[in-house]
Amino acid sequence: NLNKVINYIKKICNISIKLMNYSISIILPILNEINSLKKTLLIINKINVDKEFIVIYSEKLTKNSVKDEINSLKKKYKNFRCFKQIKPFVGGAIDLGIMKAKKKHIALMASDMETNPYELKNMIDVSSKNNNSIISADRWISSKGFSDYGVIKFLANFAFQKLLKIFFNYKILDFTFAYRIYPKNALKNYRIKELRHGFALETLLAPMKKGFSVITLPAKWKKRVEGNSSITIESYISYLRVFFRYL
């Protein structure tokens, strides 16, 4: 029993040391979902790790009242940095966030709670033990990975994931959920080409083509309760453009 206690203490100490040397830039693009962003920040700020929040906002789509709220968040969180979006669409926001990231790792997630912020701590724990791997949230290995997703979208997503798995032969079930942690060098000097939602697929295939391994963890997607979705037919076509580009 004593040996078990000693081994457990050693394990805890090793985890703590790894987290002490770990740092992460968390990229959060925002349109107008300010309350969801505030909840997300409140949750992930409790994670005891060296981190920075990078919020990318659109001048065109963000109301003045939301910008005022963002300025108040800058005062509340010392590790909060925000930038006006240059390139259009969500991929453009992520691209800028990657360029501005200063830490050793980069997290991609949403500010509208469609990516569960409570899951980030476990992703960071796994990332700290696998510094050179991509940690990717996977809705298809979770028992209830989708909530209010819609039957047609669910079936289309299922079919597309199967298609990707056939052609790329990777041991991944969810290629298009942009909730991930990367070692910074996986995205270093890489500029996103597909600025619409296809960026989610591109930012997985591009580093995997370089040889980076991926560890998947179960995750749950929940429909946003604030703001409007920016997904259009063109967004779905953008996934196909990435598919053929990397094929």
Side-chain angles (χ1 to χ4, degrees):
N1 289 335
L2 181 60
N3 286 335
K4 287 183 179 180
V5 172
I6 292 172
N7 289 332
Y8 178 76
I9 292 173
K10 286 182 178 179
K11 184 178 180 180
I12 296 297
C13 289
N14 287 334
I15 292 172
S16 298
I17 291 171
K18 286 179 180 179
L19 285 175
M20 284 176 61
N21 296 324
Y22 188 93
S23 65
I24 187 166
S25 300
I26 304 167
I27 301 173
L28 293 154
I30 180 173
L31 296 180
N32 51 20
E33 56 275 11
I34 189 65
N35 292 318
S36 296
L37 173 65
K38 289 160 77 172
K39 288 179 184 178
T40 298
L41 291 172
L42 192 64
I43 293 166
I44 61 180
N45 191 53
K46 295 177 182 178
I47 302 173
N48 188 23
V49 69
D50 180 10
K51 58 188 174 295
E52 65 172 354
F53 306 126
I54 300 179
V55 171
I56 310 296
Y57 69 93
S58 168
E59 183 72 27
K60 181 179 179 181
L61 297 176
T62 304
K63 298 177 182 178
N64 288 331
S65 59
V66 175
K67 285 190 284 184
D68 291 339
E69 292 271 19
I70 289 175
N71 288 330
S72 69
L73 289 172
K74 287 171 66 176
K75 297 176 182 178
K76 181 176 181 179
Y77 298 101
K78 294 181 180 179
N79 51 351
F80 184 101
R81 302 165 63 212
C82 67
F83 303 93
K84 177 182 173 182
Q85 188 170 339
I86 300 171
K87 295 179 181 179
F89 310 120
V90 63
I94 296 297
D95 188 65
L96 180 59
I98 292 170
M99 285 193 287
K100 297 295 184 180
K102 294 181 177 180
K103 303 299 183 180
K104 296 177 183 177
H105 290 78
I106 295 173
L108 306 186
M109 62 185 299
S111 58
D112 56 16
M113 301 288 285
E114 287 188 350
T115 54
N116 186 346
Y118 287 105
E119 294 170 345
L120 185 63
K121 184 181 184 303
N122 184 43
M123 293 172 69
I124 288 175
D125 288 342
V126 175
S127 178
S128 69
K129 300 170 190 174
N130 302 272
N131 272 281
N132 293 315
S133 295
I134 299 166
I135 312 303
S136 186
D138 194 316
R139 297 163 293 184
W140 287 101
I141 58 176
S142 178
S143 58
K144 294 182 180 179
F146 298 87
S147 178
D148 297 323
Y149 199 67
V151 175
I152 294 176
K153 282 181 64 179
F154 181 86
L155 293 175
N157 188 299
F158 177 81
F160 190 52
Q161 303 298 345
K162 292 297 183 183
L163 179 71
L164 291 166
K165 191 168 180 61
I166 290 171
F167 280 93
F168 294 106
N169 196 29
Y170 293 133
K171 294 180 180 179
I172 297 172
L173 297 179
D174 198 339
F175 289 80
T176 58
F177 192 31
Y179 191 9
R180 304 185 190 114
I181 294 177
Y182 299 79
K184 189 175 182 180
N185 59 342
L187 297 174
K188 186 179 180 181
N189 300 324
Y190 183 79
R191 299 279 65 83
I192 294 174
K193 298 176 180 63
E194 188 53 62
L195 301 182
R196 293 183 184 269
H197 284 74
F199 87 91
L201 177 59
E202 179 184 347
T203 51
L204 185 65
L205 294 181
M208 290 185 74
K209 290 287 186 179
K210 293 180 182 178
F212 284 90
S213 62
V214 177
I215 298 172
T216 57
L217 297 177
K220 295 182 179 181
W221 180 97
K222 185 178 180 180
K223 186 178 180 180
R224 65 167 70 200
V225 295
E226 182 186 17
N228 298 316
S229 174
S230 59
I231 296 181
T232 62
I233 293 296
E234 182 64 27
S235 299
Y236 292 113
I237 293 173
S238 72
Y239 285 109
L240 294 175
R241 284 198 292 264
V242 175
F243 170 75
F244 287 112
R245 184 181 301 136
Y246 282 87
L247 193 62

